[in-house]
């Protein structure tokens, strides 16, 4: 029980795998759709460089339009076009141990169906855990049959692979939106409930919860849905040890209800099951069934603690030698001794013109407003009607701060306090934007839920009216400083449909620190019964 085995599906850049590895799980193999995210995963989790490597040993393509020696083309291939290709690195004799398989999970499912020897080799490992985060927001067991809707097939494919391999446990992570109802063919569905049913049909008993990363030492207000499903024989052993546990009782009853109503699954509703919210029932998160809370409101890690030690991007910061206590804790939890003498990477700032800097400074200022004045300033910025009384209050508030006024004639900016509200309005006319989700970080609060587009957030400090660097965003996700993100930094336009650049890799990742605590909880439960 010192080391367990796990398979990672929808692996992304490797946040979940890094956390599970630290919790004591050895990676059997991983699967990820995006070659760009896979490049980061391979570099950090498998110690394999892909760029310029014509013969990677640990990274295999399930399908590609390009031969194995054209690695650069493979790394830039549209993954949704790859299944049309004739090339594959997988055959009946492929050994999947410690491999990263790049490609669509449905192609992986097909490979297992067509190559039973591969599947048998995996099953012989007696896998302890399969983890991943498939898109689930509109999944229903009816919708999975809509083959033209690719995303609707992914949770079903995840459950199907779990059913084929029969690991002891399954760990699924998803966004909070999975708990919101959606309508399909005139019926209301809850994706989290439909996913739970899918795992029951494959022989697993689910336990569902809504976590928030800030309760586990991650400096981010990031609510996430988590499903841990136990193979029925494993669940029964855990249930025997905690026979009076209400959480397990609810799950056991749900399992029976689903099986009893297989021919009419729509009759199984949210009245038959529930998830546990860390905000509503923190007392249940005690480490027995649900992961144990490590940080409460009084000691949430804030923005300044997360990135304040590396705010000067013009400097080169040596790994494990910054003043940040939080960063040093991460670097000690997620160890990598070979990096000790290196410079922290992925910390290059984006280039901003004077007007963008002025807008970001405006956001920094209004983020400090109190008593409803922040909303008043937003209304002023977005052109809404603002009363004279509110204008007067806003001027009084602005008079305590310096705004950045662009001087285009001199190609520089001037930091000064506005003398009247008209000056503020003139500045606003110079810095418009169609994006009304932009905001500045709050220095002494956890960051908002991680975003994948770099200019949605700007730095909190007046000396730095800029977006965050990839490294700063990685800090908010609890990645150690040695973890290096690969491929393009950002993208845009139509390329967003399939490219996964560094900012998106970070934003989509499971925080490694959260994954570590989830993994430790599962390991503890298995250790008690095996």
């Amino acid at each position: 029980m010192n080391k367990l085995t796990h398979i990672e599906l929808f692996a992304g850049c490797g946040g979940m795998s890094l956390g599970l590895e630290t919790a004591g799980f050895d990676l059997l193999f991983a699967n990820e759709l995006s070659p760009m995210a896979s490049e980061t995963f391979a570099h950090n989790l498998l110690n394999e460089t892909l760029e310029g490597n014509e013969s990677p040993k640990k990274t295999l393509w399930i399908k590609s339009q390009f031969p194995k020696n054209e690695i650069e083309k493979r790394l830039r291939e549209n993954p949704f076009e790859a299944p049309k290709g004739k090339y594959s690195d997988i055959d009946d004799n492929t050994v999947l141990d410690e491999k990263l398989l790049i490609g669509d999970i449905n192609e992986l499912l097909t490979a297992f169906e067509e190559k039973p020897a591969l599947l048998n080799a995996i099953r012989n490992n007696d896998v302890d855990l399969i983890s991943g985060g498939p898109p689930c927001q509109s999944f229903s067991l009816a919708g999975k049959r809509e083959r033209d809707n690719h995303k609707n097939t992914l949770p079903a494919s995840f459950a199907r692979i779990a059913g084929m391999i029969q690991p002891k446990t399954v760990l699924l992570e998803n966004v909070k939106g999975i708990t919101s109802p959606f309508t399909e063919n005139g019926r209301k569905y809850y994706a989290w409930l439909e996913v739970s049913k899918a795992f029951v049909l494959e022989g697993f008993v689910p336990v569902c919860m809504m976590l928030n990363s800030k309760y586990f030492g991650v400096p981010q207000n990031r609510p996430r849905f988590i499903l841990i499903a136990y193979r029925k024989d494993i669940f029964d052993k855990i249930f025997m040890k905690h026979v009076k546990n209400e959480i397990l009782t609810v799950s056991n009853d749900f399992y029976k209800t689903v099986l009893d109503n297989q021919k009419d699954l729509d009759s199984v509703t949210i009245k038959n099951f529930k998830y546990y919210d860390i905000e509503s029932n923190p007392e249940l998160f005690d480490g027995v069934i649900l992961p144990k809370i490590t940080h409460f409101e009084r000691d949430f890690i804030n923005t300044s603690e997360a990135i304040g030690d590396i705010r000067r991007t013009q400097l080169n910061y040596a790994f494990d030698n910054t003043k940040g206590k939080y960063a040093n804790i991460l670097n000690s939890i997620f160890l990598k001794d070979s990096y000790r003498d290196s410079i922290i990477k992925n910390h290059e700032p984006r280039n901003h013109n004077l007007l963008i800097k002025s807008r970001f400074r405006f956001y920094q200022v209004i983020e400090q407003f109190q008593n409803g004045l922040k909303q008043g300033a937003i209304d002023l910025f977005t052109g809404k009607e603002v009363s004279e009384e509110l204008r007067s209050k806003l001027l009084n508030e602005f008079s305590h701060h310096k705004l950045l006024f662009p001087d285009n004639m001199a190609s520089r900016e001037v930091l000064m306090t506005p003398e009247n509200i008209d000056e503020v309005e003139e500045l606003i006319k110079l810095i418009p934007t169609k994006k009304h989700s932009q905001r500045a970080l709050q220095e002494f609060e956890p960051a908002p839920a991680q975003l994948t587009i770099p200019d949605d957030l700007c730095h909190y400090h007046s000396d730095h009216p800029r977006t965050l660097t990839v490294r700063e965003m990685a800090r908010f996700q609890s990645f150690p400083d040695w973890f290096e993100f690969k491929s393009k930094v950002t993208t845009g336009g139509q390329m967003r449909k399939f490219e996964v650049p560094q900012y998106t890799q970070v934003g989509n990742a499971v925080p490694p620190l959260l994954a570590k605590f989830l993994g430790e909880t599962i390991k503890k439960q298995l250790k008690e019964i095996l």
Side-chain angles (χ1 to χ4, degrees):
M1 286 301 299
N2 289 329
K3 280 288 185 179
L4 307 178
T5 55
H6 88 104
I7 293 168
E8 179 77 7
L9 305 177
F10 305 92
C13 67
M16 178 80 88
S17 286
L18 177 60
L20 291 176
E21 178 186 87
T22 306
F25 286 82
D26 279 341
L27 181 68
L28 184 58
F29 73 86
N31 169 233
E32 166 54 30
L33 174 67
S34 166
M36 296 173 76
S38 295
E39 187 176 358
T40 296
F41 188 105
H43 179 78
N44 293 281
L45 276 303
L46 303 179
N47 294 314
E48 182 166 73
T49 299
L50 295 185
E51 190 174 22
N53 183 354
E54 292 189 355
S55 57
K57 299 293 188 291
K58 300 178 181 179
T59 309
L60 310 176
W61 265 256
I62 303 172
K63 279 286 187 69
S64 177
Q65 298 175 98
F66 305 102
K68 192 169 185 176
N69 62 349
E70 295 187 9
I71 190 72
E72 301 302 324
K73 290 182 179 179
R74 282 187 166 193
L75 288 173
R76 299 296 173 261
E77 185 176 15
N78 181 338
F80 299 107
E81 298 293 325
K84 300 176 184 177
K86 63 179 181 179
Y87 300 100
S88 176
D89 301 337
I90 298 175
D91 58 33
D92 292 314
N93 300 315
T94 302
V95 177
L96 297 184
D97 292 15
E98 295 185 60
K99 299 294 194 304
L100 170 61
L101 310 179
I102 299 178
D104 191 315
I105 189 173
N106 287 315
E107 295 297 322
L108 179 62
L109 184 58
T110 299
F112 287 157
E113 290 171 341
E114 295 177 349
K115 299 175 174 61
L118 280 180
L119 184 61
N120 289 334
I122 295 166
R123 288 176 63 99
N124 288 338
N125 283 278
D126 192 21
V127 179
D128 294 293
L129 173 66
I130 293 181
S131 58
C136 296
Q137 286 84 320
S138 61
F139 171 70
S140 73
L141 286 169
K144 74 177 185 180
R145 289 190 288 271
E146 297 176 6
R147 305 304 297 184
D148 59 332
N149 187 335
H150 176 74
K151 286 187 177 181
N152 267 354
T153 71
L154 299 179
S157 299
F158 187 174
R160 180 72 185 114
I161 287 179
M164 286 178 162
I165 296 173
Q166 287 292 305
K168 297 182 182 72
T169 57
V170 174
L171 171 60
L172 180 146
E173 181 264 1
N174 217 276
V175 297
K176 184 179 182 181
I178 192 178
T179 62
S180 299
F182 67 94
T183 302
E184 182 180 89
N185 299 325
R187 295 186 65 98
K188 182 182 286 187
Y189 292 92
Y190 291 82
W192 73 271
L193 182 68
E194 296 293 299
V195 170
S196 299
K197 294 177 192 177
F199 279 103
V200 169
L201 296 177
E202 297 294 345
F204 296 88
V205 186
V207 172
C208 298
M209 66 202 84
M210 182 65 69
L211 303 184
N212 193 314
S213 298
K214 65 185 179 182
Y215 288 98
F216 300 92
V218 179
Q220 187 185 161
N221 183 23
R222 186 183 181 92
R224 278 299 185 270
F225 174 84
I226 300 293
L227 177 149
I228 299 177
Y230 305 87
R231 197 175 67 208
K232 186 60 167 64
D233 63 307
I234 297 296
F235 176 85
D236 288 343
K237 291 178 181 179
I238 296 174
F239 198 12
M240 286 183 65
K241 285 193 66 68
H242 307 280
V243 69
K244 294 183 179 180
N245 187 284
E246 179 193 347
I247 297 171
L248 297 180
T249 300
V250 169
S251 291
N252 194 49
D253 290 345
F254 174 72
Y255 179 85
K256 293 177 181 177
T257 302
V258 172
L259 292 186
D260 288 343
N261 293 274
Q262 291 186 59
K263 295 182 179 180
D264 184 20
L265 289 173
D266 283 349
S267 68
V268 183
T269 70
I270 56 171
K271 294 179 181 179
N272 302 107
F273 201 33
K274 62 181 178 179
Y275 61 86
Y276 302 89
D277 193 330
I278 200 168
E279 303 285 355
S280 305
N281 299 108
E283 72 281 359
L284 297 177
F285 291 80
D286 56 5
V288 178
I289 303 302
L290 309 182
K292 186 175 183 178
I293 293 173
T294 64
H295 289 66
F296 289 90
E297 190 165 357
R298 64 183 178 272
D299 56 2
F300 288 154
I301 308 299
N302 64 40
T303 292
S304 179
E305 292 172 307
I307 64 172
D309 60 314
I310 56 170
R311 62 184 173 87
R312 294 182 175 86
T313 55
Q314 70 273 23
L315 301 179
N316 287 328
Y317 293 97
F319 171 76
D320 215 18
N321 193 31
T322 71
K323 297 179 180 179
K325 179 181 177 182
Y326 164 74
N328 290 329
I329 289 173
L330 290 182
N331 295 337
S332 63
I333 292 173
F334 305 107
L335 287 170
K336 191 166 187 177
D337 289 334
S338 61
Y339 203 85
R340 295 218 172 269
D341 297 326
S342 303
I343 299 298
I344 294 173
K345 296 181 174 64
N346 305 123
H347 196 39
E348 298 77 23
R350 312 297 296 164
N351 291 322
H352 303 312
N353 62 36
L354 301 182
L355 296 180
I356 291 176
K357 289 181 180 180
S358 295
R359 188 193 314 140
F360 285 158
R361 176 57 189 156
F362 183 87
Y363 295 149
Q364 289 176 345
V365 168
I366 67 173
E367 197 63 51
Q368 303 172 58
F369 286 10
Q370 303 293 326
N371 303 320
L373 290 180
K374 176 183 173 182
Q375 185 56 52
I378 293 172
D379 289 344
L380 190 72
F381 181 72
T382 56
K384 294 182 180 177
E385 192 70 31
V386 177
S387 68
E388 286 300 321
E389 179 184 3
L390 183 53
R391 286 164 62 90
S392 177
K393 290 180 179 179
L394 286 172
L395 175 60
N396 181 60
E397 191 66 37
F398 276 117
S399 68
H400 295 94
H401 302 274
K402 290 184 177 180
L403 292 171
L404 203 55
F405 289 85
D407 184 349
N408 292 321
M409 295 292 291
S411 296
R412 64 187 179 91
E413 62 265 7
V414 179
L415 197 62
M416 66 181 189
T417 303
E419 295 182 0
N420 54 64
I421 199 68
D422 291 337
E423 285 189 353
V424 177
E425 289 187 302
E426 287 301 315
L427 174 63
I428 286 172
K429 291 178 183 178
L430 294 173
I431 57 172
T433 179
K434 294 180 180 179
K435 299 191 66 171
H436 298 308
S437 60
Q438 290 182 327
R439 55 190 154 166
L441 293 166
Q442 293 187 0
E443 184 173 2
F444 300 112
E445 296 290 336
Q450 193 71 46
L451 301 172
T452 59
I453 300 173
D455 59 352
D456 277 343
L457 287 174
C458 71
H459 204 281
Y460 63 85
H461 199 281
S462 59
D463 290 345
H464 301 278
R466 59 170 177 81
T467 58
L468 303 178
T469 67
V470 172
R471 177 52 51 200
E472 287 168 330
M473 292 181 77
R475 285 275 189 92
F476 286 126
Q477 285 280 64
S478 76
F479 281 96
D481 283 340
W482 57 259
F483 197 98
E484 184 179 354
F485 296 86
K486 293 290 190 177
S487 196
K488 293 169 62 174
V489 177
T490 188
T491 190
Q494 292 297 310
M495 308 294 273
R496 286 191 192 280
K497 293 180 178 180
F498 66 89
E499 288 197 338
V500 184
Q502 291 177 17
Y503 278 103
T504 307
Q505 291 174 32
V506 178
N508 286 346
V510 176
L513 204 53
L514 176 61
K516 172 181 176 291
F517 287 116
L518 290 168
E520 287 175 346
T521 302
I522 294 170
K523 181 179 179 181
K524 175 174 172 285
Q525 293 167 349
L526 293 178
K527 188 175 182 180
E528 287 177 348
I529 63 168
L530 298 177

